[in-house]
Amino acid sequence: MNRIAAAIFLAALIFWCPQSGSAQKRQQNDVLKQLREDVKSLKKGQEAMQKDLQEIKKLLEARGGAAPLPAPTLQAISIGDNPFLGNKNARVVLLDFSDYQCPFCGRFVRETMPQLEQEYIKTGKVKYVFRDLPIEAIHPFALKAAEAVRCAGEQSTYWEMHYRLYQNQNALDVGSMPAHAQALGMDLPAFTACLNSGKYATGIRKDMADAAAAGISGTPTFLIGLVNTRNPNDRNIKVTQQIVGAQSFEAFKAALERALAAANK
C-alpha cells in the first residue's frame, strides 16, 4: 500500500510539474505502468488471503467450529505399502495424511518439506510415508488428484506428479491432469486409461478409513512413530507424537529429535 501511495504522489508531481512534452509523457507512462503492476500485485495478495480465509471457514463449518484436533487415541497405525522417501529401515517414521487440494498441505510441501528432506530424510534418519486423505466435502478435485498421482506411480513418476500437483493447486481438475502427465514425459494414453478406470479409488478410501479410525479428520496431519525392530515384517508403527497443520520446520525438528532420541535408547 505504501508503494502505491508513493507512486500516486509521484504521478501527481509529474502530471503537474512543467517538463518537456516527450519527457513528461514517458514519465507518465512509466508511472502508470508501475501503478498498474502494483495494483495487480495487491489484488493477487488479497485473493490469496481471501482463499485462505474461505478455506479456514469451510474447515470450521465442516467440523462444526470444533476446537483443534485432539491427539489420536490409537497406540499404533499401519504404514502399509504406501509410497515413502528416505531410508526404508529408518527407525523413526513421519506419516503424512494429506489432501492435494488443501492449501495448508501445499504450504507444508513448498515451505517445510524441502528442509525436512535435506536434514532428516536424505540423511537416512527418518522415513517419510504419504497416505491420502482427500476431504471431499470441501475439496471436490482432491480424490481424483490422488488417483492421478497413483497412476503416475505406474510409470515411476509418483513423486514427480505428487510435487507437481502441490506446486499447481489451481489446476487439479480432471481436465488438467493430461497436461501434467505430458509435462512429466509420461505415456499419455496409458495414464488416461488408468485415471478413467478409477482403479485406485478403493486404496485411497482405505487410507481415509484408517485416518477416521485414528481420529484424524483434518489435513495435513502428521503422526510420528517408531518401527518394531524385533519384527521387520510388522507394518505398524508405535505412535509417539502428532502434528496438525502446516507447522514450522522448527516444530517438526523438535518432534523428530525427540523421536530419534527415543529410538536410540
Side-chain angles (χ1 to χ4, degrees):
M1 289 297 290
N2 290 336
R3 286 179 58 194
I4 294 176
I8 292 172
F9 178 71
L10 180 59
L13 287 176
I14 291 170
F15 274 93
W16 289 105
C17 291
Q19 303 177 62
S20 66
S22 59
Q24 184 182 32
K25 188 172 183 179
R26 282 197 301 272
Q27 284 185 295
Q28 288 173 354
N29 288 338
D30 289 343
V31 171
L32 288 173
K33 182 180 179 182
Q34 185 60 50
L35 275 172
R36 292 192 189 98
E37 291 178 355
D38 285 344
V39 170
K40 188 183 295 184
S41 176
L42 180 61
K43 285 182 178 179
K44 286 183 179 179
Q46 289 176 329
E47 288 171 0
M49 289 175 63
Q50 288 175 347
K51 186 176 180 181
D52 277 357
L53 288 172
Q54 289 171 356
E55 193 68 30
I56 292 169
K57 183 179 178 182
K58 287 179 181 179
L59 285 168
L60 289 174
E61 288 174 350
R63 291 169 50 197
L69 289 170
T73 57
L74 81 168
Q75 298 298 312
I77 190 169
S78 174
I79 58 174
D81 294 317
N82 289 70
F84 71 89
L85 292 171
N87 178 6
K88 66 178 182 179
N89 297 317
R91 287 210 58 197
V92 174
V93 173
L94 176 61
L95 177 58
D96 180 1
F97 279 97
S98 284
D99 173 319
Y100 286 102
Q101 201 175 344
C102 161
F104 306 107
C105 302
R107 186 179 303 166
F108 163 79
V109 170
R110 292 187 296 270
E111 298 178 5
T112 307
M113 185 61 178
Q115 292 176 283
L116 290 175
E117 281 195 275
Q118 191 67 31
E119 189 161 334
Y120 291 100
I121 299 170
K122 290 181 178 179
T123 56
K125 297 177 182 178
V126 172
K127 178 179 180 180
Y128 171 82
V129 180
F130 186 86
R131 298 194 70 176
D132 289 296
L133 182 53
I135 311 296
E136 295 180 278
I138 56 175
H139 296 149
F141 302 139
L143 177 62
K144 211 63 183 176
E147 290 183 51
V149 176
R150 296 196 183 201
C151 285
E154 293 187 354
Q155 300 187 41
S156 302
T157 52
Y158 177 95
W159 291 108
E160 289 84 353
M161 181 67 90
H162 171 90
Y163 285 121
R164 183 176 178 83
L165 295 191
Y166 275 124
Q167 295 291 343
N168 296 274
Q169 288 187 296
N170 60 336
L172 296 180
D173 58 288
V174 174
S176 297
M177 293 304 158
H180 293 312
Q182 282 185 311
L184 295 174
M186 295 170 58
D187 180 332
L188 189 55
F191 171 79
T192 302
C194 175
L195 190 58
N196 290 340
S197 73
K199 62 195 284 187
Y200 289 110
T202 299
I204 293 167
R205 293 197 181 282
K206 173 65 167 58
D207 280 0
M208 295 164 68
D210 286 353
I216 299 169
S217 60
T219 55
T221 294
F222 305 88
L223 299 177
I224 297 174
L226 305 178
V227 300
N228 181 359
T229 56
R230 295 180 180 179
N231 181 5
N233 296 318
D234 188 353
R235 307 305 297 166
N236 289 332
I237 58 170
K238 179 183 178 183
V239 178
T240 60
Q241 299 170 81
Q242 174 179 273
I243 297 177
V244 178
Q247 301 291 331
S248 66
F249 169 73
E250 287 70 25
F252 281 93
K253 181 180 179 70
L256 291 173
E257 288 296 335
R258 286 194 295 269
L260 288 167
N264 292 326
K265 285 183 179 179

